């Protein structure tokens, strides 16, 4: 609950009027056309942002925890954006707790390079990646599911197989989603919405309810809406979760690439040469771990491929992209 206080405001007729203002905290569910829809314990408020944000070049984002100066008619002003723990640029969303990387075993087949690239982008933004393998009901794909799980288990990255038909594995995924903001990414056809519906059967209904409250506006890929899917659990509706954040993250800087690979980071600083790129050097602790099988070759292959893609980039090109 917020602090209530009395203040006077001038209404257009020039007369004084008494109004009640409340300073309350909330979560931005959606921003559209200069309005921010802020969920609070007192309801959803339609807010504008104070001019100072524009001056400071800060745009409130879906997922931002904010303080608002609220009026009784469910309108208000965003007066403070609380410190973000992370944010994505496209789609624009803040404070993401988990990035679910949805990959199907079939149509399309899993691509470990794309998975690792997305995992690395999440790691560099301090978002916990969770890999979810879908379409596990095809018996011919079982080997492939086990292979993927072995790779990511070894890397220390959560990886779960889920059957939307039998419900197997859905509880584990649900546990990650509770109490935080989730974003989902994956190829079209990987089964993102099927998965969400299997975990939260009420999701469709709730989506409809919130969308009505949040009102007007054409939905474009630039807009993000947080849907409440459980107690304190939100999922970012990110139709355009493209490869933008993957391609334009710190992954373009070869010296930072290893920070995107937590399994390789365990050996950081143990290589013979401090300038080791972990691709071909003698005395490289990472390469030795790959040889011994402590790091999956598939993970190192992805690192190597990403390294080759960015190794010739010049610093000015990197700066241009960030
Ligand atoms: Zn090395």
């Amino acid at each position: 609950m917020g602090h209530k206080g009395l203040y006077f405001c001038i209404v257009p007729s020039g007369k004084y009027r008494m109004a009640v203002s409340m300073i309350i905290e909330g979560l931005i569910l959606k921003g559209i056309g200069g309005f921010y829809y802020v969920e609070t314990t007192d309801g959803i408020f339609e807010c504008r942002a104070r001019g100072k944000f524009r001056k400071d070049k800060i745009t409130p984002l879906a997922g931002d925890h904010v303080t608002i100066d609220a009026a009784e008619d469910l309108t208000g002003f965003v007066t403070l954006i609380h410190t973000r723990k992370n944010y994505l640029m496209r789609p624009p969303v803040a404070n993401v707790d988990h990035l679910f990387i949805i990959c199907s075993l079939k149509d399309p087949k899993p691509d470990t390079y794309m998975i690792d690239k997305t995992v690395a982008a999440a790691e560099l933004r301090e978002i916990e990646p969770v890999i979810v393998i879908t379409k596990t009901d095809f018996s011919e794909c079982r080997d492939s599911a086990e292979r993927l799980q072995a790779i990511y288990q070894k890397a220390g990255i959560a990886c779960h197989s889920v059957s939307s038909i039998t419900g197997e594995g859905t509880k584990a995924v649900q546990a990650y989603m509770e109490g935080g903001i989730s974003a989902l990414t994956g190829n079209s056809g990987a089964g993102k919405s099927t998965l969400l519906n299997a975990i939260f059967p009420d999701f469709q209904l709730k989506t409809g309810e919130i969308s009505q409250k949040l009102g007007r506006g054409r939905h474009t890929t630039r807009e993000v809406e947080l849907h409440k899917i459980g107690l304190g659990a939100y999922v970012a509706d990110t139709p355009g979760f493209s490869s933008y954040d993957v391609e334009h993250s710190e992954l373009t800087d070869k010296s930072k690439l290893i920070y995107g690979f937590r399994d390789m980071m365990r050996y950081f600083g143990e290589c013979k040469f401090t300038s080791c790129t972990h691709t071909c050097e003698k005395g490289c602790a990472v390469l030795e771990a790959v040889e011994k099988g402590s790091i999956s070759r598939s993970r190192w292959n992805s690192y190597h491929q990403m390294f080759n893609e960015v190794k010739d980039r010049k610093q000015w090109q990197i700066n241009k992209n960030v």
Side-chain angles (χ1 to χ4, degrees), residues 58-187:
I58 303 170
T59 308
L61 298 177
D64 267 329
H65 295 285
V66 292
T67 299
I68 62 169
D69 192 349
E72 282 184 327
D73 62 353
L74 294 178
T75 63
F77 283 94
V78 175
T79 56
L80 181 72
I81 299 171
H82 300 202
T83 308
R84 292 170 182 158
K85 69 174 176 183
N86 58 48
Y87 68 95
L88 297 171
M89 286 182 284
R90 284 187 201 171
V93 56
N95 300 315
V96 178
D97 293 291
H98 291 101
L99 177 66
F100 292 86
I101 301 160
I102 318 294
C103 45
S104 67
L105 290 177
K106 190 177 157 132
D107 309 320
K109 279 189 167 178
D111 174 353
T112 48
Y113 174 66
M114 267 321 292
I115 295 172
D116 290 331
K117 211 168 176 181
T118 312
V119 165
E123 300 264 32
L124 287 164
R125 293 184 188 279
E126 296 183 14
I127 300 172
E128 187 64 23
V130 179
I131 297 162
V132 180
I133 306 170
T134 60
K135 300 190 189 172
T136 54
D137 304 291
F138 303 97
S139 55
E140 73 267 26
C141 300
R142 287 279 173 193
D143 285 356
S144 170
E146 280 168 21
R147 193 179 70 87
L148 282 177
Q149 272 180 319
I151 292 171
Y152 293 101
Q153 203 164 21
K154 194 178 271 183
I157 295 163
C159 179
H160 296 275
S161 290
V162 163
S163 162
S164 302
I165 297 172
T166 65
E168 181 198 332
T170 49
K171 282 270 175 278
V173 176
Q174 183 178 356
Y176 288 104
M177 290 185 172
E178 275 167 5
I181 297 175
S182 305
L184 277 71
T185 180
N187 289 333

Side-chain angles (χ1 to χ4, degrees), residues 208-235:
E209 280 173 7
I210 292 176
S211 293
Q212 268 180 2
K213 267 186 215 161
L214 297 187
R216 58 208 175 261
R218 199 164 56 87
H219 200 87
T220 73
T221 52
R222 289 289 298 151
E223 295 153 11
V224 175
E225 185 170 339
L226 292 187
H227 295 293
K228 196 167 193 165
I229 48 174
L231 197 63
Y234 301 86
V235 64

Side-chain angles (χ1 to χ4, degrees), residues 20 23 25-26 54 66 109 112 124 134-135 148 155 161 201 207 226 241 249 255 262 295:
V20 178
I23 305 299
E25 290 182 6
R54 209 172 312 125
V66 292
K109 279 189 167 178
T112 48
L124 287 164
T134 60
K135 300 190 189 172
L148 282 177
S161 290
T207 303
L226 292 187
F241 199 106
S249 63
S255 64
R262 62 175 71 176
I295 295 175

Side-chain angles (χ1 to χ4, degrees), residues 271 276-278 281 283-287:
C271 302
C276 189
T277 65
H278 326 294
E281 293 87 344
C284 170
V286 170
L287 286 174

